[in-house]
Amino acid sequence: MSPDRTLFQKLFSSRPVILAPMEDVSDAVFRKLCRELGAELCVTEFVNVEGLLRGCRNARRKITLGADDQPTAIQIYGSDPDRLAEAAEIAAAAGPSFVDINCGCWVPKIAGRGAGAGWLRNPTAMVEMAAMVVRRVSMPVTVKTRIGWGPESEMPIVELAKRLEGAGVSALTIHCRTAQMGHSGAADWTWAARARSVVGIPVIVNGDIKSAEDAERALAETGCEGVMVGRRAIEHPWIFREAKALLEEGRRIDAPTPEERIALCKKHLVMNTEERGEPHGVRVTRRHLAGYLHGLPGAAALRRALNACDSLEGCLAILDEALARRAA
């Protein structure tokens, strides 16, 4: 076993709670915040291989990893096997913990072009593509996918998992819905359990992980080596510390206080503004603020005020005023 692969196996020895790759969400700033709250492994935003190969500034931003941004995987997506393999080499050179191939994004503009979950329409081509990428890079390659395209009566994921392992894929993340389901309906974790039972590589279960209790139950029911949190983290990144406390110590911890919620709003706004400038840094933080403020008295009015303000100074003043009202 190579040193890289030994390190890779250690990543999953503690059954980590992982931040999912999410476009316009899991950027370097958000990864840092989630890591501070207990995320043990993070995955970047989706990196388009064509943009990466052209040297697109946004693609370069996505694969730039700071010294403290580890362990993090870079996720790439595309529909051409040769281009994916070439882009994987560039991604690997950026120093991630591993390279992940997106075979699960169901959004029509991606899947409809054969990328993302579009690969599930031709599992043989998907396996051949994964094998090509594995051959081109010296670090572990993983795949994130769904249980099938849909509406198959018997999902292909179990046989596909075996074939991907045979192609040299080092781990598999399974979002337990079909591509056609998108985010509708309930994720069926039994498919992750079935896939896990037939392979020797780590399997990460994904889909409907909304609480620490969900994370605990998903791992118990599937036997998987990790659990991945997506949309819930956008509004409640505290899920990582809550899940870690439950999984490692059997301890249920209190929800964040109002003061903690406001403090995270301020911290995220400051970090995003330092990273992206004004007003862009302020605007890209807004998608998180409603969740951060959830449950606070007057949260709706506070959210409206923040959404109408494009300056960091103004937003911080609004939040400080909210804190002062609480202290009065």
Side-chain angles (χ1 to χ4, degrees), residues 75-114:
Q75 188 188 78
I76 59 175
Y77 77 93
S79 59
D80 183 298
D82 291 310
R83 304 288 277 176
L84 273 161
E86 187 178 353
E89 291 181 301
I90 298 173
S97 299
F98 55 94
V99 174
D100 185 68
I101 308 171
N102 182 331
C103 295
C105 181
W106 61 276
V107 176
K109 69 178 182 180
I110 292 177
R113 297 174 182 173

Side-chain angles (χ1 to χ4, degrees), residues 181-305:
M181 289 173 71
H183 290 302
S184 64
D188 185 351
W189 297 338
T190 64
W191 289 107
R194 293 180 219 185
R196 178 66 194 86
S197 71
V198 299
V199 298
I201 59 175
V203 175
I204 298 97
V205 58
N206 176 225
D208 284 351
I209 310 297
K210 301 175 183 177
S211 67
E213 290 73 20
D214 287 339
E216 180 183 51
R217 185 165 57 87
L219 289 171
E221 291 181 5
T222 65
C224 286
E225 282 76 13
V227 60
M228 182 173 281
V229 181
R231 290 174 295 159
R232 178 58 170 158
I234 299 172
E235 60 187 13
H236 191 82
W238 296 276
I239 189 174
F240 295 107
R241 77 177 185 191
E242 292 163 357
K244 192 169 184 179
L246 185 58
L247 292 170
E248 295 183 1
E249 305 171 32
R251 185 168 58 92
R252 287 172 169 80
I253 61 176
D254 293 335
T257 65
E259 288 74 18
E260 283 181 287
R261 290 178 175 276
I262 292 173
L264 188 60
C265 290
K266 295 175 66 176
K267 185 173 185 176
H268 203 164
L269 282 162
V270 169
M271 291 173 66
N272 262 341
T273 303
E274 289 175 348
E275 181 75 16
R276 305 195 187 200
E278 293 184 71
H280 186 54
V282 171
R283 292 172 179 167
V284 298
T285 313
R286 288 174 181 162
R287 65 173 63 89
H288 298 273
L289 298 184
Y292 292 178
L293 297 171
H294 179 72
L296 271 66
L302 184 55
R303 184 176 66 250
R304 286 194 296 271

